[in-house]
Amino acid sequence: MKFITTQELVQLQQILINNTLLQTADVEFRSALLTNCGLGKYCGLVSLDKTSIQFVISLCAKLSDAFIKVDGSERLGLVVLLEYISQIDLSLSTKDKNFIQYVITKWEQWHISNTERQQSELPSFPSSQALITSSQDSTTETEEEQTDSENAP
């Protein structure tokens, strides 16, 4: 995960490992949980029947590379999961909720910055209006030059 430090990742994984929703080894429940937050298609990429530690580490790895459309914008799969857990799990401490929100905000800032940087690296082409205006200007200059040469002694 490029947007958080190793220490932050460890802290996030500890929160998720201790999360009551993810502690269960019930395959159907884990599958339903992922499906309910829009990540059902990733169930096949992680072992749903593993211990909570194995499940969380695998889930974080897979969802940190997965993007899904949410309300017309691309969201990181891990962020979608974190948003869902922070809303549905009433047993999360305020400290854990705040940290999850910190990670989400950090990803959003990183994503915006990364998107802007990619857009600034794209070659800029003149707009069609600029080309039309430029073409009209050169045509006018050519006509003026011709008129001047016709009127020259």
Side-chain angles (χ1 to χ4, degrees):
M1 282 179 245
K2 300 173 187 175
F3 65 97
I4 59 175
T5 66
T6 303
Q7 184 178 355
E8 291 168 336
L9 175 59
V10 168
Q11 185 176 348
L12 178 62
Q13 287 177 337
Q14 287 173 343
I15 290 169
L16 294 176
I17 288 166
N18 294 321
N19 181 272
T20 55
L21 294 175
L22 299 177
Q23 282 183 343
T24 180
D26 184 341
V27 172
E28 287 182 34
F29 180 81
R30 286 179 173 175
S31 176
L33 178 74
L34 292 174
T35 300
N36 287 342
C37 63
L39 299 167
K41 67 182 181 179
Y42 298 100
C43 288
L45 299 178
V46 292
S47 297
L48 300 174
D49 60 344
K50 298 294 182 187
T51 66
S52 61
I53 292 171
Q54 293 169 321
F55 176 66
V56 165
I57 290 172
S58 175
L59 191 63
C60 286
K62 297 297 181 186
L63 295 182
S64 65
D65 289 331
F67 286 85
I68 64 167
K69 278 232 187 260
V70 177
D71 298 328
S73 65
E74 292 282 315
R75 302 286 287 170
L76 186 67
L78 181 62
V79 168
V80 172
L81 177 69
L82 294 175
E83 290 170 333
Y84 181 77
I85 287 175
S86 67
Q87 292 171 5
I88 196 169
D89 190 352
L90 302 176
S91 68
L92 273 177
S93 69
T94 302
K95 179 183 173 187
D96 289 349
K97 276 189 178 187
N98 288 341
F99 185 76
I100 287 173
Q101 187 55 53
Y102 164 79
V103 170
I104 292 168
T105 301
K106 196 166 178 182
W107 176 80
E108 289 171 341
Q109 292 169 345
W110 177 85
H111 182 66
I112 289 168
S113 172
N114 200 33
T115 302
E116 288 172 352
R117 186 176 62 248
Q118 287 175 349
Q119 289 176 347
S120 71
E121 292 172 358
L122 291 175
S124 60
F125 298 103
S127 68
S128 57
Q129 184 60 41
L131 290 173
I132 292 170
T133 303
S134 174
S135 173
Q136 290 173 343
D137 289 347
S138 65
T139 303
T140 305
E141 289 174 9
T142 306
E143 290 171 353
E144 289 174 358
E145 289 171 3
Q146 287 177 346
T147 304
D148 288 343
S149 64
E150 290 172 1
N151 293 336

